Amino acid sequence: MFLVVSLFLLAQSVLADDVYHIYHNPRFDYSIAYPKDILYPQGESDNGDGQKFLSKDADASLIVYGSNNALSQSLEDLYLEESRGGTHEKPTKVVTYKVLKNNWFVVSGYKSGKVFYQKTILNKNQFKFFTLNILKARKRFTIQLLKILQLHLNDNCSLYRRVGRIERD
Protein backbone atom coordinates (compact mmCIF):
# COMPACT_ATOMS: atom_id res chain seq x y z
CA MET A 1 0.00 0.00 0.00
CA PHE A 2 2.84 2.39 0.85
CA LEU A 3 4.40 1.76 -2.58
CA VAL A 4 1.10 2.50 -4.35
CA VAL A 5 0.62 5.74 -2.42
CA SER A 6 4.24 6.75 -3.03
CA LEU A 7 3.97 6.10 -6.77
CA PHE A 8 0.70 8.03 -6.91
CA LEU A 9 2.20 11.06 -5.11
CA LEU A 10 5.33 10.95 -7.28
CA ALA A 11 3.25 10.78 -10.44
CA GLN A 12 1.08 13.70 -9.28
CA SER A 13 4.12 15.89 -8.65
CA VAL A 14 5.72 14.94 -11.96
CA LEU A 15 2.50 15.51 -13.92
CA ALA A 16 1.61 18.84 -12.34
CA ASP A 17 4.17 20.75 -14.42
CA ASP A 18 3.56 19.03 -17.74
CA VAL A 19 1.82 20.75 -20.62
CA TYR A 20 -0.67 18.65 -22.55
CA HIS A 21 -2.04 18.76 -26.06
CA ILE A 22 -5.29 17.09 -26.99
CA TYR A 23 -5.65 14.64 -29.83
CA HIS A 24 -9.26 14.17 -30.94
CA ASN A 25 -10.40 11.53 -33.39
CA PRO A 26 -13.64 12.64 -35.05
CA ARG A 27 -14.24 9.33 -36.83
CA PHE A 28 -14.57 7.36 -33.57
CA ASP A 29 -15.23 10.34 -31.30
CA TYR A 30 -12.52 9.92 -28.68
CA SER A 31 -9.89 12.26 -27.30
CA ILE A 32 -6.75 11.94 -25.23
CA ALA A 33 -4.48 14.51 -23.63
CA TYR A 34 -0.79 13.71 -24.07
CA PRO A 35 2.33 15.44 -22.66
CA LYS A 36 3.61 17.56 -25.54
CA ASP A 37 7.21 17.51 -24.32
CA ILE A 38 7.34 13.70 -24.10
CA LEU A 39 5.20 12.30 -26.90
CA TYR A 40 5.15 13.53 -30.50
CA PRO A 41 2.31 12.74 -32.92
CA GLN A 42 3.37 10.80 -36.00
CA GLY A 43 0.35 11.68 -38.10
CA GLU A 44 -3.14 10.29 -38.37
CA SER A 45 -3.48 6.90 -40.04
CA ASP A 46 -4.60 6.83 -43.67
CA ASN A 47 -8.05 5.52 -42.76
CA GLY A 48 -8.51 8.10 -39.98
CA ASP A 49 -8.93 5.62 -37.13
CA GLY A 50 -6.13 6.88 -34.89
CA GLN A 51 -2.61 8.06 -34.32
CA LYS A 52 0.77 6.90 -33.07
CA PHE A 53 2.85 9.01 -30.67
CA LEU A 54 6.58 8.46 -30.05
CA SER A 55 9.07 9.80 -27.54
CA LYS A 56 12.15 11.56 -28.96
CA ASP A 57 14.26 8.43 -28.68
CA ALA A 58 11.36 6.08 -29.55
CA ASP A 59 11.72 4.35 -26.16
CA ALA A 60 8.03 5.02 -25.57
CA SER A 61 5.08 4.79 -27.91
CA LEU A 62 1.37 5.39 -27.51
CA ILE A 63 -0.98 4.02 -30.14
CA VAL A 64 -4.62 5.12 -30.07
CA TYR A 65 -7.27 3.98 -32.51
CA GLY A 66 -10.89 3.04 -32.91
CA SER A 67 -12.55 0.14 -34.66
CA ASN A 68 -16.13 -0.74 -35.49
CA ASN A 69 -17.20 -3.97 -33.84
CA ALA A 70 -18.10 -5.50 -37.21
CA LEU A 71 -17.87 -9.07 -35.86
CA SER A 72 -20.07 -8.26 -32.84
CA GLN A 73 -17.35 -9.53 -30.53
CA SER A 74 -18.15 -9.27 -26.84
CA LEU A 75 -15.87 -7.24 -24.61
CA GLU A 76 -15.30 -10.35 -22.49
CA ASP A 77 -14.17 -12.40 -25.52
CA LEU A 78 -11.69 -9.69 -26.55
CA TYR A 79 -10.51 -9.40 -22.94
CA LEU A 80 -9.83 -13.15 -22.76
CA GLU A 81 -8.00 -13.02 -26.09
CA GLU A 82 -5.83 -10.05 -25.06
CA SER A 83 -5.20 -11.49 -21.56
CA ARG A 84 -3.47 -14.56 -22.93
CA GLY A 85 0.29 -14.35 -23.20
CA GLY A 86 0.24 -16.31 -26.44
CA THR A 87 0.50 -20.08 -26.49
CA HIS A 88 2.35 -22.16 -23.90
CA GLU A 89 4.92 -23.18 -26.52
CA LYS A 90 5.32 -19.68 -27.94
CA PRO A 91 4.59 -16.97 -25.37
CA THR A 92 4.43 -13.45 -26.79
CA LYS A 93 3.90 -11.47 -23.59
CA VAL A 94 3.79 -11.83 -19.83
CA VAL A 95 0.56 -10.47 -18.40
CA THR A 96 1.02 -9.17 -14.84
CA TYR A 97 -2.23 -7.24 -14.41
CA LYS A 98 -5.67 -7.48 -15.93
CA VAL A 99 -9.13 -6.21 -15.03
CA LEU A 100 -12.49 -6.38 -16.79
CA LYS A 101 -15.25 -3.86 -16.02
CA ASN A 102 -18.66 -3.13 -17.50
CA ASN A 103 -17.51 -1.57 -20.79
CA TRP A 104 -13.71 -1.55 -20.59
CA PHE A 105 -10.71 -3.65 -19.68
CA VAL A 106 -7.02 -3.20 -18.97
CA VAL A 107 -4.22 -5.67 -19.64
CA SER A 108 -0.60 -4.88 -18.81
CA GLY A 109 2.74 -6.58 -18.36
CA TYR A 110 5.90 -7.17 -20.38
CA LYS A 111 6.43 -7.79 -24.07
CA SER A 112 9.70 -7.79 -26.04
CA GLY A 113 11.68 -6.00 -23.31
CA LYS A 114 9.03 -3.32 -22.84
CA VAL A 115 6.30 -2.58 -20.35
CA PHE A 116 2.92 -2.52 -22.06
CA TYR A 117 -0.38 -1.13 -20.88
CA GLN A 118 -3.52 -1.55 -22.96
CA LYS A 119 -6.92 -0.10 -22.20
CA THR A 120 -9.83 -1.04 -24.42
CA ILE A 121 -13.25 0.59 -24.23
CA LEU A 122 -16.44 -0.64 -25.89
CA ASN A 123 -18.84 2.22 -26.53
CA LYS A 124 -21.73 2.35 -29.03
CA ASN A 125 -20.55 -0.88 -30.72
CA GLN A 126 -17.10 0.59 -31.31
CA PHE A 127 -13.83 -0.37 -29.66
CA LYS A 128 -11.36 2.32 -28.63
CA PHE A 129 -7.81 1.03 -28.09
CA PHE A 130 -5.04 2.78 -26.18
CA THR A 131 -1.72 0.94 -26.02
CA LEU A 132 1.40 2.22 -24.33
CA ASN A 133 4.81 0.56 -24.77
CA ILE A 134 7.85 1.74 -22.79
CA LEU A 135 11.34 0.33 -22.33
CA LYS A 136 11.55 -1.15 -18.83
CA ALA A 137 14.52 1.05 -17.95
CA ARG A 138 12.56 4.30 -18.48
CA LYS A 139 10.91 4.68 -15.06
CA ARG A 140 10.02 8.38 -15.46
CA PHE A 141 8.24 7.70 -18.74
CA THR A 142 6.49 4.71 -17.25
CA ILE A 143 5.14 6.66 -14.27
CA GLN A 144 4.08 9.66 -16.35
CA LEU A 145 2.52 7.82 -19.23
CA LEU A 146 0.72 5.17 -17.20
CA LYS A 147 -0.75 7.94 -15.09
CA ILE A 148 -2.02 9.62 -18.24
CA LEU A 149 -3.85 6.50 -19.32
CA GLN A 150 -5.25 5.82 -15.87
CA LEU A 151 -6.50 9.38 -15.43
CA HIS A 152 -7.64 10.14 -18.95
CA LEU A 153 -9.35 6.99 -20.06
CA ASN A 154 -12.63 6.45 -18.32
CA ASP A 155 -15.50 4.22 -19.28
CA ASN A 156 -17.70 6.85 -20.94
CA CYS A 157 -15.04 7.89 -23.48
CA SER A 158 -14.49 11.30 -21.95
CA LEU A 159 -10.84 10.53 -22.22
CA TYR A 160 -9.00 13.35 -20.56
CA ARG A 161 -9.14 15.58 -17.58
CA ARG A 162 -6.80 18.26 -16.42
CA VAL A 163 -3.73 17.09 -14.52
CA GLY A 164 -1.41 19.76 -15.90
CA ARG A 165 -1.80 22.70 -18.25
CA ILE A 166 -3.66 21.87 -21.45
CA GLU A 167 -2.90 23.75 -24.66
CA ARG A 168 -4.99 23.36 -27.79
CA ASP A 169 -3.18 22.75 -31.06
Side-chain angles (χ1 to χ4, degrees):
M1 181 67 173
F2 175 75
L3 178 61
V4 172
V5 171
S6 298
L7 286 175
F8 177 77
L9 292 174
L10 176 62
Q12 288 295 338
S13 66
V14 169
L15 288 173
D17 297 329
D18 289 332
V19 176
Y20 293 81
H21 279 191
I22 297 171
Y23 165 71
H24 176 74
N25 182 280
R27 180 176 173 199
F28 289 98
D29 195 29
Y30 65 86
S31 299
I32 187 166
Y34 63 93
K36 75 171 196 133
D37 295 329
I38 296 175
L39 293 175
Y40 301 90
Q42 301 301 297
E44 184 121 340
S45 64
D46 290 341
N47 70 1
D49 67 349
Q51 174 129 218
K52 182 176 187 175
F53 301 83
L54 292 174
S55 62
K56 286 180 185 176
D57 52 13
D59 284 351
S61 68
L62 173 64
I63 300 168
V64 298
Y65 64 97
S67 174
N68 289 314
N69 189 6
L71 301 176
S72 298
Q73 187 174 20
S74 74
L75 187 67
E76 184 176 6
D77 286 344
L78 185 59
Y79 167 75
L80 292 172
E81 183 180 315
E82 294 293 331
S83 297
R84 283 188 236 121
T87 64
H88 182 67
E89 298 81 28
K90 200 172 192 180
T92 58
K93 60 187 172 187
V94 176
V95 175
T96 58
Y97 176 79
K98 57 185 178 178
V99 62
L100 173 65
K101 295 292 184 176
N102 187 34
N103 67 333
W104 61 269
F105 68 82
V106 168
V107 177
S108 66
Y110 302 96
K111 181 179 180 178
S112 303
K114 293 187 175 187
V115 174
F116 77 90
Y117 179 96
Q118 175 187 335
K119 183 159 189 175
T120 302
I121 299 169
L122 178 59
N123 183 272
K124 298 178 183 173
N125 207 33
Q126 293 179 330
F127 287 110
K128 279 84 171 180
F129 299 92
F130 305 86
T131 304
L132 178 64
N133 294 289
I134 309 168
L135 280 181
K136 283 194 257 186
R138 302 301 301 262
K139 287 186 181 180
R140 181 174 187 265
F141 277 166
T142 303
I143 290 170
Q144 281 183 300
L145 297 177
L146 285 176
K147 197 65 185 166
I148 291 164
L149 288 179
Q150 290 168 350
L151 287 175
H152 301 316
L153 305 179
N154 61 36
D155 56 350
N156 67 5
C157 292
S158 172
L159 301 174
Y160 58 88
R161 69 175 166 174
R162 189 174 180 147
V163 292
R165 196 173 84 234
I166 294 179
E167 293 180 348
R168 302 269 179 192
D169 289 330

